[in-house]
Amino acid sequence: MSGTERIGTFTRDGLVFDVRDEGPIDGTPVVLLHGFPQDSRSWDALAPLLHRRGFRTLAPDQRGYSAGARPRARWAYRTSELVADVVALIDQAGLGPAHVVGHDWGAAVAWGIAAERPDRVRTLTALSVPHPAAFVRAMVTSRQILKSWYMFAFQLPWIPERVIASDRFGYRALRASGQSVGEAKRDLESMRDRTRARGALNWYRAMPFTAPRSASRKVRVPTLLVWSDGDTAIGPVGPALTSRFVDGPYTYEVLHGVSHWIPDEAAVRVDELLGNHLLDQS
């Protein structure tokens, strides 16, 4: 497919992924990867700002979130598969190397793409989540393991699907983490679809299937990490250690007074940071 044609879906191994392809059709491509429990709508505040800068954005609903891409087995959600999905998007859209921006789990996938397929990445921007190896070190050297308690709880079968969709727990948990009323309702409503909730949770359940060596590879593409000091899920140690795992040009920014939900809450500030980071490499 030519890079000057809009796409609404892409396919891989029989799975069909939905994509929001917006902005100037001839603009430099930026792939936006959402996290848990969100979808491509999490970029609604940021994407228009990037369009004004002349960028074209492609925001997929990733594996487990797109209705046509929800395999049942948890091993189907290991990081190598998630990375291959986004590489397929870049290739099928005919984009050539793209700027890759990810938040939360989307940031983890973005780190993987930059490490495994740097030929497909112009720049990497990770929001909230540090390099995987830095995160692992933080788990054993800081209070990060306490902040990540839910990762262990999500390993249980079927119970998390019921819990995260409930107003009693899911809504309160999202609000307590800093989400607005509207954003919490938006994301919780999607999780009421049990197959979607299972697919989203399988990202956590597939963590034991990720090869430790692949998670420790250094990144050599230009990289921007943005962390916020109001993040209840990610502590400061992992982000502080990330520079050890980036050999290319690297910038680390801390947003003060911002929660974990950076794309929704601080879109204007992220746009400013991306304006410098992306334009330097376009």
Side-chain angles (χ1 to χ4, degrees), residues 202-264:
N202 275 350
W203 286 52
Y204 294 94
R205 293 166 178 159
M207 291 174 69
F209 298 96
T210 297
R213 180 177 298 179
S214 65
S216 64
R217 289 180 177 171
K218 291 189 176 183
V219 168
R220 292 177 170 80
V221 302
T223 298
L224 168 65
L225 171 61
V226 182
W227 177 73
S228 47
D229 63 7
D231 196 320
T232 59
I234 306 292
V237 175
L241 292 172
T242 290
S243 61
R244 301 182 185 182
F245 303 97
V246 181
D247 279 348
Y250 177 64
T251 303
Y252 174 41
E253 295 284 346
V254 177
L255 304 184
H256 298 286
V258 176
S259 77
H260 176 75
W261 310 100
I262 292 175
D264 287 314

Side-chain angles (χ1 to χ4, degrees), residues 142-153:
S142 72
R143 295 175 56 84
Q144 182 59 57
I145 194 168
L146 300 178
K147 290 178 175 288
S148 300
W149 64 268
Y150 58 91
M151 293 185 177
F152 303 97

Side-chain angles (χ1 to χ4, degrees), residues 1-276:
M1 180 180 292
S2 167
T4 56
E5 296 178 26
R6 292 287 186 197
I7 65 169
T9 62
F10 73 97
T11 61
R12 178 173 175 263
D13 289 348
L15 302 178
V16 180
F17 299 81
D18 300 318
V19 184
R20 299 174 68 177
D21 180 357
E22 300 171 322
I25 190 66
D26 59 348
T28 302
V30 180
V31 175
L32 302 173
L33 304 177
H34 66 82
F36 173 90
Q38 302 189 296
D39 56 29
S40 57
R41 293 174 296 173
S42 67
W43 301 106
D44 282 355
L46 178 61
L49 303 179
L50 294 176
H51 302 158
R52 293 175 191 171
R53 293 185 182 275
F55 292 106
R56 173 186 177 184
T57 61
L58 292 99
D61 290 335
Q62 297 189 79
R63 181 174 293 233
Y65 295 84
S66 284
R70 294 177 185 168
R72 189 178 185 89
R74 63 174 185 159
W75 54 264
Y77 293 81
R78 60 196 186 276
T79 302
S80 59
E81 292 296 317
L82 306 174
V83 166
D85 291 341
V86 180
V87 172
L89 165 61
I90 294 172
D91 289 348
Q92 290 179 38
L95 301 178
H99 298 291
V100 179
V101 180
H103 173 246
D104 189 78
W105 259 114
V109 176
W111 283 112
I113 298 167
E116 300 288 339
R117 296 301 305 270
D119 58 313
R120 296 295 188 272
V121 181
R122 289 177 185 244
T123 67
L124 162 66
T125 300
L127 306 180
S128 301
V129 173
H131 186 283
F135 182 78
V136 170
R137 291 198 181 186
M139 289 280 277
V140 298
T141 62
S142 72
R143 295 175 56 84
Q144 182 59 57
I145 194 168
L146 300 178
K147 290 178 175 288
S148 300
W149 64 268
Y150 58 91
M151 293 185 177
F152 303 97
F154 287 168
Q155 303 303 315
L156 296 171
W158 69 265
I159 295 175
E161 280 88 332
R162 296 175 63 90
V163 171
I164 64 171
S166 71
D167 288 333
R168 182 177 180 181
F169 180 82
Y171 177 76
R172 291 182 181 179
L174 292 177
R175 291 285 291 129
S177 69
Q179 272 200 321
S180 71
V181 170
E183 290 152 8
K185 288 182 176 179
R186 174 196 69 192
D187 296 337
L188 185 65
E189 182 63 31
S190 299
M191 290 296 108
R192 298 194 194 282
D193 181 330
R194 194 64 57 82
T195 62
R196 181 179 176 131
R198 182 185 66 220
L201 287 162
N202 275 350
W203 286 52
Y204 294 94
R205 293 166 178 159
M207 291 174 69
F209 298 96
T210 297
R213 180 177 298 179
S214 65
S216 64
R217 289 180 177 171
K218 291 189 176 183
V219 168
R220 292 177 170 80
V221 302
T223 298
L224 168 65
L225 171 61
V226 182
W227 177 73
S228 47
D229 63 7
D231 196 320
T232 59
I234 306 292
V237 175
L241 292 172
T242 290
S243 61
R244 301 182 185 182
F245 303 97
V246 181
D247 279 348
Y250 177 64
T251 303
Y252 174 41
E253 295 284 346
V254 177
L255 304 184
H256 298 286
V258 176
S259 77
H260 176 75
W261 310 100
I262 292 175
D264 287 314
E265 189 175 338
V268 172
R269 179 58 180 141
V270 173
D271 171 62
E272 293 172 353
L273 294 171
L274 288 174
N276 295 326

